[in-house]
Amino acid sequence: MLSPSSDPGVGSLDLEGTNGKRRKKSNTRTESTVLASGTRKWTSGEKSKVLEYIQKFGGTGPQKDYASVRDTLVRDFPNVFGAGSVKEITRQQVRNIALANIKLGMLTLDEGRSLVCDLCRTFYEQGWCSGTGGGVSIKVDERIIMAPSGVQKERMLPEDMFVLDADGIILEEGVHRLPEMPRPKLSECAPLFMEAYKQRNAGAVLHSHALEAMLVTLINESAATFTVTHLEMIKGIHGHGYYDVLTVPIIDNTARECELTASLAQAIHDYPDTYAVLVRRHGVYIWGDSWAHAKTQAECYHYLFKAALEMRKMGIDPAVCTSNGRTSAIILDIEGTIAPVSFVADVLFPYAMREVRRHLQDTWHRPETRSCLAELQGYLDADGYTAPQPSSTEEHMLDYVSSALVDMMAKDKKYTPLKWLQGAIWRSGYEKKELVADVYDDLVLSLQRWTSQGIKVYIYSSGSREAQGLLFGHTKYGDLRRYISGYFDTMVGPKNDSNSYQEIALSIGESDTSKILFATDVFAEAEAASRAGIRALLVVRPGNKPLPSAHEFPTVHDTSEFDALL
């Protein structure tokens, strides 16, 4: 058992909920109270009991259940949790401290070697590690115990194991036991395993060659991810629930395992919520906070892979859960609905106004710019802008047009050619990474949830279709365009005109307009959609203009609240 003085890592545990990751500053009174002194080894029964508590309660559940478990842990393991300020111990502290002791103090190296052998036999019997393929590794006291390559997984013995340090350097090699068996060699999985240990502070990493793990990567050979939703076993994957869309990245196979390291490392980085990475035509890598957590997650992932394959045979898309039929499409406004008003007003518009002259100077003779300016001329004349003489120099014309366009933008004119020009300027900004679209934090999960239910999502904004696509393609959460079925701008008509919404319904092929839900922060737009037979709701966000005190539309404060209306 570990105490604050027996391991410097435990003395600096983060007790506020970072899944056992280290921090340099700590040693508070609460910490020293909870991590009481004591060096008694836990028995196998105690280990199993703590694991059961952690897996069952893991920082969640009703307060009364937590209090009961907390008090039981303090009673049963006083040298771990202490008997001091018991009532001050939080759920996450209980989970972190127990996991820290499970990961760093429960197993000796000899116990770890034997455990890897047991896991290899178990996975062989499940068909995950046949033909000497696959691999298992666990962390013990900041050292990694790793099954060797090219050895029959069901016949492994503890002396076959390799032991590595936290940087992947070999400390101990496996023993060559029998002449007829190949000499143990470090698995080619080693550098891939180390990525999960380093990037995710994993307690164990597994590699499976299960048939179902390979086959799911062939459902769509061009797909970068495997997705599934609305299946009970999704709840077994940390951080996911029944209604969530579980996403597992897929990387392409290479001739040698070690050559996968860079692409696997990138996938782990790009998908922070995943605990697995699939390798096309190969298998899957899975990790967890501890060996028990990794094993549980591996069982859930393999179940979901099998379920997806069987659902495909039945003609069911595992990534989609059909809605109740009331809603076939959602149309979203942008500003004040899915993105802060401040992003458009304080970032996009100032950027366009600041860059308009440079953009015009760079593109002055391009056909698309000349066509846009020709369309704008009528608006310039109608708004009373005085054009210079035709004999004026190009520099003089640039000054005039730039000044007039900045004035139009400042007045938020909705002219279609002006919106096109703004979109062209923003495209340049996104490409130069000078712009990153700010969308509300609730949007991504809602998009995943709606599309998984077969609901199509469209955008209707006064900004040009190009500008809309650019925004969704360059958000702080990455490219979200895969969730959007189409874009509409004022080319279909003004947003306060009911005919515009009827035109959109015709364009998306929905004859029953009551199956369309429109979300906006503007009352007049909601009224126009409603007159077209479309169900409308109003979104209340910080910075939005006040709504009328009396109106008949439902109001929501984030996109997760849409679900009650679907």
Side-chain angles (χ1 to χ4, degrees):
M1 201 60 268
L2 294 179
S3 67
S5 60
S6 65
D7 185 295
V10 175
S12 58
L13 273 176
D14 180 355
L15 299 180
E16 299 306 320
T18 55
N19 288 327
K21 292 182 180 178
R22 304 288 179 77
R23 70 181 182 190
K24 292 183 179 179
K25 293 190 287 187
S26 189
N27 284 325
T28 61
R29 178 184 176 281
T30 303
E31 189 171 326
S32 60
T33 300
V34 176
L35 285 174
S37 61
T39 57
R40 179 178 65 82
K41 292 275 295 175
W42 286 3
T43 66
S44 296
E46 288 175 326
K47 296 174 187 178
S48 298
K49 194 171 184 180
V50 171
L51 280 171
E52 179 184 353
Y53 286 143
I54 298 307
Q55 290 172 344
K56 186 174 181 180
F57 294 95
T60 63
Q63 177 65 27
K64 62 182 180 62
D65 291 341
Y66 155 69
S68 173
V69 172
R70 176 201 62 201
D71 294 344
T72 301
L73 285 171
V74 171
R75 183 195 67 217
D76 291 353
F77 310 109
N79 61 323
V80 180
F81 295 100
S85 304
V86 173
K87 301 301 181 185
E88 297 177 8
I89 304 175
T90 69
R91 306 164 186 265
Q92 195 63 42
Q93 287 171 349
V94 168
R95 182 178 187 274
N96 285 354
I97 296 165
L99 278 178
N101 281 277
I102 289 167
K103 290 168 64 177
L104 302 178
M106 284 181 57
L107 294 175
T108 65
L109 281 177
D110 287 342
E111 290 173 329
R113 290 187 180 96
S114 296
L115 176 58
V116 171
C117 294
D118 291 342
L119 292 173
C120 284
R121 278 190 290 272
T122 297
F123 296 160
Y124 171 81
E125 291 167 359
Q126 292 175 324
W128 299 357
C129 295
S130 58
T132 76
V136 176
S137 66
I138 64 173
K139 184 187 290 185
V140 175
D141 254 345
E142 297 305 315
R143 287 171 285 183
I144 312 296
I145 300 173
M146 195 172 297
S149 177
V151 179
Q152 303 291 329
K153 294 297 189 290
E154 77 278 16
R155 297 177 61 83
M156 283 189 176
L157 295 178
E159 53 263 39
D160 296 330
M161 300 301 125
F162 280 74
V163 179
L164 286 67
D165 68 11
D167 294 319
I169 305 301
I170 297 175
L171 301 177
E172 299 178 31
E173 294 188 0
V175 176
H176 189 201
R177 294 185 286 113
L178 299 171
E180 67 271 20
M181 294 182 64
R183 179 179 296 278
K185 61 180 181 179
L186 184 64
S187 172
E188 284 213 344
C189 299
L192 291 94
F193 285 166
M194 294 307 300
E195 286 298 328
Y197 285 117
K198 291 174 182 178
Q199 289 198 48
R200 296 296 179 80
N201 194 30
V205 189
L206 319 173
H207 178 42
S208 164
H209 282 187
L211 184 62
E212 59 267 25
M214 183 276 291
L215 288 176
V216 293
T217 68
L218 304 181
I219 292 175
N220 179 353
E221 288 216 61
S222 64
T225 59
F226 162 81
T227 56
V228 65
T229 188
H230 287 70
L231 291 177
E232 180 68 13
M233 289 294 274
I234 292 175
K235 291 159 61 175
I237 307 303
H238 182 76
H240 291 78
Y242 172 77
Y243 295 103
D244 292 334
V245 178
L246 175 71
T247 300
V248 183
I250 303 173
I251 61 176
D252 288 319
N253 197 23
T254 55
R256 294 190 59 190
E257 195 109 19
C258 58
E259 294 171 354
L260 291 166
T261 306
S263 54
L264 181 130
Q266 190 63 48
I268 293 175
H269 175 271
D270 291 345
Y271 292 84
D273 294 329
T274 192
Y275 280 77
V277 174
L278 284 159
V279 184
R280 202 179 315 278
R281 294 177 175 268
H282 184 149
V284 64
Y285 285 84
I286 301 171
W287 57 90
D289 293 337
S290 66
W291 69 264
H293 186 228
K295 178 176 178 289
T296 299
Q297 303 235 116
E299 290 165 352
C300 292
Y301 274 119
H302 283 78
Y303 173 96
L304 293 167
F305 298 154
K306 283 184 179 179
L309 292 170
E310 292 300 317
M311 291 171 73
R312 286 282 178 179
K313 292 179 184 179
M314 300 168 63
I316 302 171
D317 187 346
V320 174
C321 179
T322 305
S323 71
N324 59 19
R326 186 185 179 195
T327 302
S328 64
I330 296 174
I331 303 173
L332 298 172
D333 174 43
I334 293 180
E335 184 181 359
T337 299
I338 57 91
V341 171
S342 58
F343 173 67
V344 177
D346 300 339
V347 178
L348 286 183
F349 270 69
Y351 184 87
M353 294 164 71
R354 186 171 65 250
E355 296 293 318
V356 63
R357 194 185 193 285
R358 185 173 70 173
H359 178 82
L360 288 175
Q361 186 169 3
D362 292 343
T363 65
W364 187 255
H365 296 289
R366 291 181 186 175
E368 61 270 24
T369 299
R370 303 307 299 175
S371 175
C372 176
L373 293 177
E375 287 188 59
L376 274 169
Q377 187 60 55
Y379 295 103
L380 292 168
D381 294 341
D383 287 353
Y385 294 97
T386 304
Q389 295 298 320
S391 59
S392 299
T393 65
E394 183 176 299
E395 194 72 17
H396 191 189
M397 290 296 294
L398 269 171
D399 289 340
Y400 158 68
V401 174
S402 300
S403 176
L405 293 179
V406 167
D407 188 59
M408 282 183 168
M409 293 182 199
K411 295 175 180 176
D412 195 17
K413 297 292 186 178
K414 306 295 185 182
Y415 305 145
T416 298
L418 178 65
K419 293 298 181 182
W420 180 90
L421 184 63
Q422 287 174 320
I425 296 170
W426 292 329
R427 179 178 66 242
S428 176
Y430 286 121
E431 289 173 350
K432 296 175 183 176
K433 300 189 184 304
E434 294 174 352
L435 291 174
V436 176
D438 184 16
V439 296
Y440 284 114
D441 296 337
D442 52 86
L443 176 65
V444 179
L445 288 178
S446 294
L447 289 173
Q448 292 176 344
R449 191 168 57 253
W450 299 333
T451 54
S452 75
Q453 297 175 46
I455 299 173
K456 293 186 177 182
V457 180
Y458 298 90
I459 307 301
Y460 182 27
S461 172
S462 58
S464 69
R465 290 187 300 169
E466 181 186 30
Q468 297 169 31
L470 287 168
L471 185 148
F472 279 90
H474 298 83
T475 78
K476 62 183 181 182
Y477 294 107
D479 190 345
L480 301 181
R481 289 175 295 182
R482 62 187 180 277
Y483 300 115
I484 309 303
S485 294
Y487 304 93
F488 296 93
D489 57 20
T490 51
M491 290 292 288
V492 300
K495 295 186 71 181
N496 58 1
D497 186 343
S498 62
N499 292 325
S500 304
Y501 299 89
Q502 292 172 347
E503 183 64 31
I504 291 174
L506 288 172
S507 297
I508 66 177
E510 181 54 80
S511 58
D512 184 355
T513 54
S514 68
K515 289 188 175 182
I516 302 174
L517 182 68
F518 173 59
T520 179
D521 65 316
V522 179
F523 175 69
E525 295 175 4
E527 279 194 314
S530 181
R531 288 196 300 272
I534 290 174
R535 291 181 291 124
L537 61 82
L538 289 167
V539 181
V540 179
R541 299 279 199 180
N544 287 6
K545 292 181 179 178
L547 296 170
S549 56
H551 61 78
E552 72 276 19
F553 299 107
T555 57
V556 300
H557 293 81
D558 67 57
T559 55
S560 66
E561 298 176 21
F562 289 23
D563 291 12
L565 303 170
L566 300 181

